[in-house]
Each structure stands twice: as C-alpha cells, then as structure tokens.
Amino acid sequence: VEADYTDTIEESSEVNNERSFSVEIVDSNPTASIESPANGYQAQTDEVIVFAGVGTDYRDPELNETYYNWNSDINGNLGNGSIVYANLSNGDHVITFTVRDSDRNVDTDQVLISVVPSQPPTVTLTTPTNQQIFREGETIYFTGSALDHEDGTLTGSSLSWNSSFDGFLNFGTSFNRNTLNVGSHNITLRAEDSSGVSILTSINITIQE
C-alpha cells in the first residue's frame, strides 16, 4: 500500500490485504471447586469435618467469601465462607459448594461423603489371668492394651481399671498393686475412644489371707 502526502492511498498490487486476530470467549459465570473433603470421604459420627473450597471469576479477581455457601442434602445449610467446620448426621451426604459473583452469577461443585457410627475399640486384658489367686499383700501386675479403628493405640486415661470390691484402681496400660482387700474381685479394663465409644473386658481374681 502506498500513500502520498495528500493522504491519497492506492494499492500497489491487486492482492487483498488481510488481517487476522483471535478472540477469547470469557465465561461470565464464576467457577466453584471443592478442595476438601474428597469425593467418597468417610467420616465418623461426631467427627469435625473441614469443608474447604475456592471460587474464581474473570471479572472479580477477589470474590466476596460471604457469597460462598455450603449445603448438605441431609443437614441443610452448613455455613458461608471458603472454609467451614461441621458435624454431620449419619448417612450419605451430597455436599454442594456454591459460589456467587458480584453479578449474581453462580456455579456449584459437589461431593458425596458418608458419615458412619464410630467403631468401638478392641481391648485386651493380659495380666492377671482369669481365676488367678493371690496372697494378701502380694504385688499384682496389671497389664492391658486397646486399639481403636479411628484413634489407633489408646493409652493414659483412655484405659481405666476397676475392681468390683475395691473400686477404681488406675489409668493406663500397666501398673501394680499390693493393697487389694481379701476376697473375690471382678477386675474390669475399660477402653474409651475420642468419640466416647467404649468397651470393657473383665476377669475374676481372688485375694486370700
């Protein structure tokens, strides 16, 4: 193309001039994405579940988190924000995370999670053994253990020992005693997990004069 000083333009060839450019198509809706819990997550009764999500929008670089909402199809509204904490009822929950932008456009993301009752721990009373006989004043060694599906190995105050004759004896996985009264004792070892689910096992021993 040639141009003179009088702004007259003429083509120097018969070939058509072409200009090309690309156009980006922008979605006017925001995007909602659940980061946790993962789809298929299994929680225990009374477990505090952390719900975390993010929202992005082309027009709103920073979305107002008060427009983020979490909902369970069983328990209803769980709260607003990018992170909320909640206990859910037993059952299979469809969790919906909703993001709304300043133009009131919305997007949602969903996961399915299950809430099941907490399983009781397993408890083992190792010593003394059932029907074992001791002399008055003899030192008796008490040992036991407990394993929980959710909490793992239980220790400390999670394990409590009792005698039907002398009452509370001690906490923990092991201790010894030489002050049990003469008579027949039903010894129980009780294990309780962090959800408050407990189980006990027992033996009988005799203290003789």
Side-chain angles (χ1 to χ4, degrees):
V1 176
E2 296 180 353
D4 62 19
Y5 292 107
T6 60
D7 293 330
T8 301
I9 300 174
E10 69 179 45
E11 291 186 347
S12 59
S13 70
E14 298 298 326
V15 178
N16 291 328
N17 294 307
E18 295 182 356
R19 184 177 181 183
S20 64
F21 56 92
S22 61
V23 176
E24 182 181 1
I25 307 300
V26 177
D27 188 354
S28 61
N29 292 325
T31 299
S33 178
I34 295 176
E35 294 185 323
S36 70
N39 189 52
Y41 178 75
Q42 186 177 88
Q44 303 295 320
T45 302
D46 298 327
E47 178 182 339
V48 177
I49 306 171
V50 180
F51 298 91
V54 295
T56 57
D57 186 74
Y58 179 78
R59 290 187 176 182
D60 297 332
E62 294 185 10
L63 292 171
N64 189 338
E65 289 191 14
T66 60
Y67 295 151
Y68 294 2
N69 178 258
W70 296 86
N71 185 272
S72 159
D73 66 333
I74 296 178
N75 291 122
N77 182 46
L78 302 179
N80 297 328
S82 60
I83 299 178
V84 299
Y85 304 87
N87 298 112
L88 299 182
S89 303
N90 290 340
D92 296 328
H93 296 251
V94 176
I95 303 298
T96 302
F97 175 52
T98 301
V99 170
R100 189 179 74 185
D101 65 16
S102 59
D103 295 322
R104 297 185 180 275
N105 297 313
V106 299
D107 187 43
T108 61
D109 192 16
Q110 290 184 327
V111 293
L112 175 66
I113 68 173
S114 300
V115 180
V116 299
S118 177
Q119 299 299 311
T122 57
V123 59
T124 303
L125 198 164
T126 307
T127 62
T129 58
N130 191 40
Q131 305 300 336
Q132 194 168 355
I133 299 173
F134 299 91
R135 306 298 300 181
E136 183 180 10
E138 182 179 352
T139 298
I140 305 172
Y141 295 91
F142 296 86
T143 61
S145 61
L147 184 65
D148 186 66
H149 178 72
E150 297 83 39
D151 300 334
T153 301
L154 301 181
T155 59
S157 60
S158 297
L159 299 173
S160 58
W161 298 78
N162 284 270
S163 161
S164 59
F165 198 108
D166 288 345
F168 173 73
L169 298 178
N170 216 323
F171 290 118
T173 57
S174 64
F175 66 98
N176 59 73
R177 228 19 214 273
N178 62 0
T179 59
L180 292 186
N181 289 307
V182 173
S184 178
H185 296 251
N186 179 251
I187 303 297
T188 61
L189 172 58
R190 179 176 180 269
E192 181 176 335
D193 65 17
S194 60
S195 299
V197 179
S198 64
I199 193 170
L200 59 84
T201 187
S202 65
I203 59 167
N204 294 301
I205 64 173
T206 302
I207 309 298
Q208 295 181 342
E209 294 182 353

